[in-house]
C-alpha cells in the first residue's frame, strides 16, 4: 500500500485513507469482438494475428445484456452521481468560480490533459481544510434523480458498485455514504494540507490525477477481484476513455451534455430510469 503522506520537507498531510499503487491500463479492445474467442484470449489473439478479419461492433442489445449481467458497475461522480461539479462548487465557495468553471468544461471535453487542468484549477482555488469542511456542511452535493434507486437495485443483485472520480475523496466519500457504498469502493484524488490547514497541493500518486487514471483503476479491480464484466458510467471524456479496460461505457447526459461523449458513446442516456428499466426486464 502506498502512503499518501507528503515528504517531510513539504510538511503536509493528505486527506485520510490510502489506495494501492495501480498498474498501467491494458489495451484490450473489449468494445469489439474477434469472432468467438475474443481478442483478450490467447486463442483469439493468435487467430487475429494470423488473419485479416475485421472486428464486429457489439450491438445495443448485447450492450444491455452485458450491463444486466455485470459483476461490477463503476460510476463517475461529478455531474453523474451528483448534479454538481465538486471542484466548481469548491471554487464558488472560495470566490473563483468563473475561471475554474471554464477550465472544468475544457477538461471534461478532453481539450486539456486532466492533470494539467486539475493543477491549474487548484492553484486558483487554494482551498483550506476548513473551507472543504464548511462546503460539505453548508452546501452538500445533491444526488442525481434515480441514482439512489439504481445503486440500491444493483446492490440487491449482488453487483459491486464503485465510485471512480477525478474529484476529491473528502467529497466523494460523503456521497458514497449517502448511497451505502463502502469507502473501500471509492477511488478519488486527495488534497494535501499543511498542518495549519492551508492548502499544500494534491497527491499526485493517485491514478485518478491523470488522464487514463480511471482505466488504471478498472484494470486493478479486474485483477484484484477477477471481475469478468465491468461497466463504466459517466458524463466526461475521462470516463469514456476508461473503456477498455471497462467492457461497456454508458455515457450520461442527465446533468450536463458533453458533446464529444454524446457523439462517440455507443450507449448514451439522460435518465437513470432507463437503466433501472433494463434491470427489471
Amino acid at each position: 500500500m502506498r502512503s499518501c503522506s507528503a515528504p517531510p520537507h513539504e510538511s503536509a498531510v493528505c486527506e485520510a485513507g490510502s489506495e494501492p499503487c495501480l498498474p498501467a491500463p491494458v489495451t484490450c479492445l473489449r468494445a469489439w469482438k474477434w469472432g468467438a474467442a475474443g481478442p483478450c484470449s490467447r486463442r483469439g489473439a493468435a487467430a487475429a494475428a494470423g488473419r485479416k478479419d475485421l472486428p464486429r461492433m457489439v450491438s445495443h442489445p448485447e450492450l444491455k445484456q452485458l450491463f444486466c449481467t455485470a459483476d461490477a458497475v463503476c460510476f463517475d461522480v461529478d455531474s453523474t452521481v451528483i448534479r454538481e461539479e465538486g471542484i466548481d462548487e469548491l471554487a464558488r465557495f472560495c470566490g473563483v468560480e468563473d475561471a475554474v468553471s471554464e477550465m472544468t468544461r475544457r477538461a471534461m471535453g478532453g481539450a486539456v490533459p486532466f492533470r494539467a487542468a486539475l493543477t491549474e484549477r487548484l492553484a486558483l482555488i487554494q482551498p483550506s481544510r476548513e473551507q472543504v469542511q464548511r462546503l460539505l456542511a453548508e452546501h452538500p452535493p445533491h444526488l442525481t434523480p434515480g441514482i439512489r434507486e439504481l445503486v440500491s437495485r444493483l446492490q440487491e443483485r449482488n453487483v459491486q458498485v464503485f465510485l471512480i472520480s477525478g474529484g476529491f475523496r473528502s467529497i466523494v466519500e460523503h456521497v458514497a455514504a449517502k448511497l451505502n457504498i463502502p469507502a473501500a469502493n471509492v477511488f478519488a484524488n486527495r488534497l494535501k494540507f499543511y498542518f495549519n490547514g492551508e492548502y499544500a497541493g494534491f497527491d499526485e500518486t493517485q491514478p485518478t490525477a491523470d488522464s487514463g487514471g480511471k482505466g488504471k483503476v478498472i484494470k486493478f479491480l479486474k485483477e484484484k477481484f477477477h471481475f469478468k464484466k465491468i461497466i463504466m458510467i459517466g458524463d466526461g471524456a475521462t470516463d469514456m476513455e476508461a473503456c477498455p479496460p471497462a467492457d461497456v461505457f454508458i455515457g450520461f447526459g442527465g446533468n450536463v451534455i458533453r458533446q464529444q461523449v454524446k457523439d462517440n458513446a455507443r450507449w448514451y442516456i439522460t435518465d437513470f430510469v432507463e437503466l433501472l428499466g433494463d434491470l427489471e426486464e
Side-chain angles (χ1 to χ4, degrees):
M1 300 291 285
R2 170 181 287 164
S3 170
C4 69
S5 296
H9 66 274
E10 292 187 16
S11 301
V13 293
C14 293
E15 296 175 308
S18 61
E19 284 166 5
C21 180
L22 305 184
V26 298
T27 57
C28 173
L29 299 180
R30 294 185 179 272
W32 303 84
K33 288 188 176 181
W34 294 93
C40 300
S41 68
R42 293 180 180 178
R43 183 160 59 94
R51 65 174 188 268
K52 302 294 183 180
D53 290 0
L54 293 176
R56 177 176 68 84
M57 291 289 275
V58 178
S59 69
H60 195 66
E62 287 175 311
L63 291 175
K64 288 190 174 185
Q65 179 63 21
L66 285 169
F67 170 68
C68 292
T69 57
D71 305 301
V73 176
C74 301
F75 289 92
D76 172 50
V77 177
D78 295 333
S79 295
T80 300
V81 169
I82 62 174
R83 300 187 68 94
E84 305 89 354
E85 284 288 330
I87 194 167
D88 289 350
E89 294 302 304
L90 186 57
R92 179 180 295 112
F93 194 77
C94 297
V96 290
E97 174 188 3
D98 292 343
V100 170
S101 294
E102 173 59 20
M103 289 183 185
T104 298
R105 185 191 64 78
R106 292 167 60 210
M108 293 304 98
V112 181
F114 185 81
R115 180 186 288 268
L118 181 62
T119 302
E120 291 175 13
R121 289 178 291 176
L122 283 173
L124 281 173
I125 302 171
Q126 297 275 315
S128 68
R129 187 193 302 275
E130 180 188 5
Q131 285 173 317
V132 174
Q133 293 171 343
R134 284 178 53 205
L135 172 67
L136 286 171
E138 298 174 17
H139 303 281
H142 299 88
L143 294 178
T144 299
I147 188 61
R148 192 189 301 273
E149 294 80 5
L150 178 58
V151 169
S152 177
R153 186 72 185 97
L154 288 168
Q155 291 171 333
E156 287 172 4
R157 295 165 65 99
N158 295 317
V159 176
Q160 288 290 313
V161 177
F162 296 88
L163 300 182
I164 307 178
S165 175
F168 307 123
R169 188 173 186 91
S170 53
I171 297 175
V172 177
E173 284 189 345
H174 178 86
V175 174
K178 289 185 174 183
L179 297 171
N180 296 316
I181 296 173
N185 286 19
V186 170
F187 293 83
N189 291 316
R190 290 186 177 85
L191 296 172
K192 295 197 295 188
F193 303 98
Y194 292 108
F195 289 103
N196 64 1
E198 292 182 357
Y199 175 70
F202 64 95
D203 181 8
E204 299 187 21
T205 68
Q206 294 303 305
T208 47
D210 274 316
S211 297
K214 293 180 180 180
K216 291 180 183 179
V217 173
I218 291 173
K219 180 177 183 289
F220 166 77
L221 293 176
K222 285 195 168 188
E223 292 178 346
K224 181 176 181 179
F225 298 107
H226 307 291
F227 294 136
K228 301 299 183 184
K229 304 172 195 171
I230 294 185
I231 312 300
M232 181 70 206
I233 302 174
D235 68 287
T238 59
D239 308 309
M240 185 166 61
E241 71 180 5
C243 180
D247 299 277
V248 174
F249 169 68
I250 303 174
F252 182 73
N255 293 311
V256 61
I257 292 177
R258 318 282 184 193
Q259 198 61 44
Q260 178 190 359
V261 176
K262 182 178 181 181
D263 291 345
N264 291 283
R266 288 192 38 78
W267 190 354
Y268 194 82
I269 63 172
T270 57
D271 196 320
F272 287 127
V273 170
E274 178 179 336
L275 298 182
L276 275 167
D278 291 332
L279 291 176
E280 300 301 328
E281 289 180 359

